[in-house]
Amino acid sequence: WVSETARPARGRMDRSQLPCGRVDHDYPCRAMCGLISGLVWDFGGPVLLTPFALVSTGERNLGLPAGTFAWRGPFEPKADPQWQAFQRGEINEREYWAIQAQKFAEVTGRSPEMASMMAPFYAGGEEEIIRPGARALIRDAKAAGIRVGMHTNDLTSFHDREWIDRMSILKEFDVVVEGRTDGLYKPDSDAYLLMVNRMGMEPSDIVFIDDQPVNIEGARSIGMVCVRLDPTNPEAGFLEARRLLGLEPR
């Protein structure tokens, strides 16, 4: 993880030093006491396993030999030239996946639409594709009076309505910004400002978690408190987010 804070990290605080003197804080109380009051997630990567982690699953579901799909993203960046181009800023994430979807269609004979490509990789139940650490952090944050949002660029491009409707984790978010639906994509600063407006708080009152450096830079530019979650080591990111939110580590 890489933590980019717009103000000093609070960590766990001595409750006797807080104006309200309470142990349990709801949202208005957290704001009054100067505690970070919001948590915003990118969905794919921090909450949902990346396609890179599910390559072998997709290959099995399609009846294809292991190694059919060569893309490995952050797990083997040197073996994935398109990923390297994305990380250098030569293409964006949607363009990266459009290239892979075209290759997928050539190999499988299926549609090159993104949702068609993703379906065999994400056919499993939530227990197989949602990070337990993310689910636990969302649950603990809400119990502590922290408002929880989701800021995603392409949920409705990557997954069809039936898949979205069966994901119970999506019902846990109090606020949602979805790039395709709202017409604003990360890392455009207006996308983050829309998220902040819907959360109803200042940027510096929100911890933002994303796995892409370019999206972290965009959030940091408007003053959000940022944690970059590395998909190859997600637990470190969860621990840092808990520290910033004043939640017990797990």
Side-chain angles (χ1 to χ4, degrees):
W1 58 268
V2 178
S3 174
E4 313 273 6
T5 60
R7 58 186 179 180
R10 290 175 172 79
R12 294 195 60 78
M13 302 181 69
D14 181 349
R15 301 299 177 183
S16 65
Q17 298 175 359
L18 300 178
C20 67
R22 292 172 56 182
V23 175
D24 297 319
H25 298 262
D26 57 15
Y27 165 64
C29 180
R30 289 185 70 89
M32 181 186 75
C33 289
L35 294 168
I36 290 178
S37 306
L39 172 62
V40 170
W41 297 81
D42 176 34
F43 188 63
V47 179
L48 186 71
L49 289 177
T50 69
F52 307 108
L54 297 169
V55 169
S56 59
T57 298
E59 290 170 339
R60 284 197 305 272
N61 288 340
L62 291 162
L64 296 173
T68 297
F69 301 117
W71 37 269
R72 292 294 184 272
F75 292 91
E76 294 182 42
K78 292 182 179 179
D80 192 335
Q82 285 85 31
W83 181 259
Q84 294 178 56
F86 167 40
Q87 296 301 300
R88 291 192 299 265
E90 296 167 8
I91 60 175
N92 63 36
E93 191 170 17
R94 289 180 299 286
E95 290 168 330
Y96 172 85
W97 285 113
I99 293 169
Q100 307 312 329
Q102 188 58 50
K103 292 179 180 178
F104 172 86
E106 292 169 2
V107 169
T108 64
R110 295 165 63 115
S111 167
E113 291 185 5
M114 198 63 65
S116 174
M117 173 184 170
M118 293 297 170
F121 297 92
Y122 290 96
E126 287 188 61
E127 70 283 358
E128 301 173 65
I129 59 178
I130 299 295
R131 297 189 188 279
R135 189 184 290 277
L137 178 49
I138 291 168
R139 180 188 63 238
D140 292 350
K142 291 173 73 74
I146 297 167
R147 190 167 293 171
V148 179
M150 178 180 72
H151 192 172
T152 176
N153 275 347
D154 293 295
L155 178 67
T156 59
S157 296
F158 277 53
H159 305 284
D160 61 26
R161 176 49 56 185
E162 180 181 356
W163 187 92
I164 291 171
D165 288 344
R166 75 178 175 88
M167 289 292 113
S168 66
I169 190 74
L170 294 174
K171 298 178 177 64
E172 298 297 323
F173 296 103
D174 303 306
V175 175
V176 174
V177 169
E178 202 265 343
R180 186 185 185 197
T181 302
D182 290 301
L184 291 169
Y185 291 88
K186 298 175 293 185
D188 186 333
S189 60
D190 286 341
Y192 301 101
L193 291 171
L194 175 62
M195 184 78 241
V196 167
N197 180 264
R198 289 184 180 173
M199 290 287 284
M201 57 188 72
E202 295 298 317
S204 59
D205 287 327
I206 298 171
V207 170
F208 173 74
I209 303 177
D210 202 294
D211 61 325
Q212 294 301 334
V214 66
N215 294 338
I216 289 292
E217 291 169 10
R220 183 177 56 189
S221 74
I222 70 157
M224 299 174 87
V225 182
C226 296
V227 175
R228 183 191 166 211
L229 186 136
D230 181 352
T232 70
N233 183 25
E235 295 307 319
F238 296 144
L239 285 172
E240 174 62 359
R242 285 179 174 277
R243 185 185 71 82
L244 290 166
L245 292 165
L247 299 174
E248 293 286 354
R250 284 182 179 269

